[in-house]
Amino acid sequence: MALIDNQQYLSPVWARYTDILAERGEGACLYDADGRGYLDFTCGIGVTNTGHCHPRVVAAIREQAGLLLHGQANIVYHRPMLELVEALREVVDPALDRFFFSNSGAEAVEAAIKLARQATGRTDVVVFGGGFHGRTAGAMALTSSKGKYRGGYAPLPSGVHIAPFAYCYQCAVARAAGKDTAAMSQAAPNTAGCCGEPLRQLRHMLQTETVPEDIAAILVEPVQGEGGYIVPPASFIQGLRAICDQYGILLIADEVQTGFGRTGTFFAMEHFGVTPDIMIMAKGLASGLPLSGIAARQEIMAKWHPGSHGGTYGGNALACAAAVATIRAIQEEHLVENAAKLGALLKAELAGAQRRRRAIGDVRGLGMMIGVELIDADGNPDAALCKRVLSSCRERGLLLLNCGSYDNVVRFIPPLVADEGQVRQAARIFEETVAR
Ligand code: PLP
């Protein structure tokens, strides 16, 4: 039996994009067991921001593995976690100077909500349509990017209110007013002429469906990820901050996918000039080792009852060592700047393709987080085309993922170490594939 045949014993719950047996990774490339290379613009769903097996990260893991694998956070302090808070304090908004660590994005989301509840003494949470926050029971109840993430899992935890996100390209109000919604979307967060409708609807929700005094937190992805790589206008995120300030609600930024240089700033909230009360991080934090965390204002963290939350592995020594090396690599190799510069190049190349190919309805994004929305002749989401494009790109050695509630958005999440040649190559393969 060939090794790959063992895949039949894996649960079918893992929906699969490819049958590639990945043997090794280096920089922006993955190599299969036959030595075939792929340009990996999936980044393991936005994780390997420093590229596959960054030598500095690998060396840090090797060194730490020989010293201490597991120093449980309730029992001891360990050097990598203390070094990590030092490194994070250099890159996270200085207002958020208390940290808690866990293993996955969903776990950190749960932690943020639990903290918000104890800190405010309130029960409910506002989230946004199309949002994705993970797959644990609590995180699933906060997620509405696709029905399949919730279907068959009822009952879900209650106390969640879903408000509309500011999705410029599909904005019915702007379309009815005859505005070029693709141009609005592409300019985001510097969108001119935003109608402000999502904020109006949120205020209406707080007036009718619930009361602000019940809301512990508003949880938002600064750029929606699974929901379709949607950049909202700055006025939207700033409006959320104003609502939170007005009613004593905590603003939680889910930076799981947008963090660690992905959008051309260290964290995406910087694009909006807004400081959240709690920030959630994971994915790019440790270059592939399981690590997540939250950062919060000191006065909020002080209200979290000791012992009321925790976990065996959170802030694992090996993962923390990888995270310190990751942050140092991002800083010293100027990867945030690279994401801004080459992300702009990639977006410009894809926008050029949009002008030439009718099937490309919208190109949007920040830094190296770019979504390309594919549409049919009537302007409706074209999931079938998206599927064909991903599969043809893969045959030509380019790995891409989709996203969006209708599976019609191609997402480009290259590693931040990608070079100009790789970015141009990916854009060219993509356009040729769409053209075919
Ligand atoms: N939040 C966001 C914005 C995400 O994109 C994801 C995963 O894609 C999560 C939370 C959940 O992270 P994890 O899969 O590590 O639980």
Side-chain angles (χ1 to χ4, degrees):
M1 194 167 96
L3 183 63
I4 190 70
D5 294 332
N6 283 322
Q7 58 84 16
Q8 66 190 295
Y9 301 110
L10 297 173
S11 169
V13 78
W14 268 306
R16 291 208 168 268
Y17 279 94
T18 82
D19 289 326
I20 296 169
L21 173 55
E23 193 76 18
R24 67 182 184 89
E26 189 182 336
C29 295
L30 263 182
Y31 297 88
D32 71 12
D34 300 322
R36 180 172 182 199
Y38 295 87
L39 192 52
D40 182 10
F41 272 36
T42 73
C43 241
I45 321 192
V47 170
T48 54
N49 288 9
T50 55
H52 287 289
C53 296
H54 190 290
R56 186 168 187 162
V57 177
V58 172
I61 294 169
R62 286 207 168 107
E63 191 186 337
Q64 186 58 40
L67 291 171
L68 180 74
L69 284 178
H70 177 60
Q72 207 282 331
N74 296 99
I75 302 173
V76 293
Y77 294 110
H78 57 70
R79 177 179 283 275
M81 191 189 288
L82 298 177
E83 286 174 351
L84 178 55
V85 292
E86 196 171 298
L88 282 170
R89 288 186 57 220
E90 291 174 25
V91 297
V92 170
D93 189 314
L96 312 180
D97 64 354
R98 294 294 185 275
F99 299 89
F100 171 83
F101 298 109
S102 43
N103 305 285
S104 68
E107 259 187 278
V109 168
E110 300 271 356
I113 300 299
K114 287 173 77 173
L115 169 58
R117 285 190 170 140
Q118 283 199 348
T120 59
R122 301 177 181 183
T123 51
D124 288 13
V125 181
V126 170
V127 293
F128 296 92
F132 183 89
H133 300 286
R135 297 163 184 274
T136 54
M140 175 177 61
L142 305 166
T143 289
S144 59
S145 54
K146 286 193 183 84
K148 74 174 176 193
Y149 297 142
R150 300 159 65 101
Y153 290 128
L156 305 184
S158 60
V160 178
H161 307 273
I162 304 178
F165 193 73
Y167 187 174
C168 289
Y169 177 58
Q170 296 288 0
C171 176
V173 178
R175 284 193 173 178
K179 292 186 177 163
D180 179 349
T181 58
M184 289 174 70
S185 166
Q186 212 166 98
N190 306 312
T191 314
C194 169
C195 61
E197 180 62 14
L199 284 176
R200 199 195 62 72
Q201 287 193 31
L202 172 55
R203 285 192 179 274
H204 181 69
M205 172 190 272
L206 295 175
Q207 180 71 23
T208 54
E209 184 180 312
T210 179
V211 289
E213 294 73 26
D214 277 353
I215 307 297
I218 293 179
L219 168 64
V220 68
E221 293 163 85
V223 178
Q224 250 187 16
E226 294 289 318
Y229 275 30
I230 304 163
V231 187
S235 56
F236 177 70
I237 300 290
Q238 289 161 1
L240 298 183
R241 180 70 270 178
I243 290 172
C244 286
D245 291 344
Q246 183 179 353
Y247 296 114
I249 297 169
L250 300 181
L251 182 63
I252 306 178
D254 181 342
E255 293 252 18
V256 166
Q257 193 158 163
T258 50
F260 298 94
R262 172 58 51 201
T263 67
T265 50
F266 223 102
F267 293 98
M269 287 298 271
E270 294 165 39
H271 290 286
F272 304 94
V274 168
T275 300
D277 299 297
I278 304 174
M279 186 180 81
I280 305 169
M281 55 196 146
K283 288 193 188 283
L285 169 59
S287 294
L289 264 71
L291 184 66
S292 63
I294 60 174
R297 295 177 187 281
Q298 180 273 333
E299 67 272 19
I300 294 170
M301 206 59 108
K303 292 184 180 152
W304 214 1
H305 306 169
S308 71
H309 188 65
T312 303
Y313 297 109
N316 167 268
L318 214 54
C320 285
V324 174
T326 298
I327 292 170
R328 297 304 177 212
I330 294 174
Q331 287 173 318
E332 288 166 28
E333 294 172 26
H334 309 290
L335 299 185
V336 180
E337 293 80 353
N338 198 49
K341 188 169 138 232
L342 291 187
L345 171 70
L346 179 57
K347 194 170 160 190
E349 295 278 305
L350 295 170
Q354 179 192 14
R355 288 191 288 278
R356 292 183 287 271
R357 312 287 164 202
R358 185 207 42 78
I360 300 178
D362 190 24
V363 174
R364 54 185 177 242
L366 288 172
M368 283 192 167
M369 183 171 184
I370 299 174
V372 179
E373 182 151 352
L374 300 179
I375 52 170
D376 65 16
D378 299 321
N380 297 316
D382 197 338
L385 174 63
C386 189
K387 196 170 176 186
R388 288 203 304 278
V389 166
L390 294 192
S391 136
S392 302
C393 285
R394 183 171 66 247
E395 280 162 23
R396 298 189 58 188
L398 171 65
L399 300 183
L400 292 169
L401 293 174
N402 67 7
C403 61
S405 297
Y406 295 92
D407 285 328
N408 69 314
V409 181
V410 178
R411 59 170 132 177
F412 288 78
I413 355 171
L416 312 187
V417 293
D419 62 29
E420 187 176 330
Q422 290 166 328
V423 162
R424 287 191 191 280
Q425 187 189 0
R428 184 173 39 78
I429 294 175
F430 172 74
E431 185 178 357
E432 285 169 6
T433 306
V434 173
R436 270 199 293 157

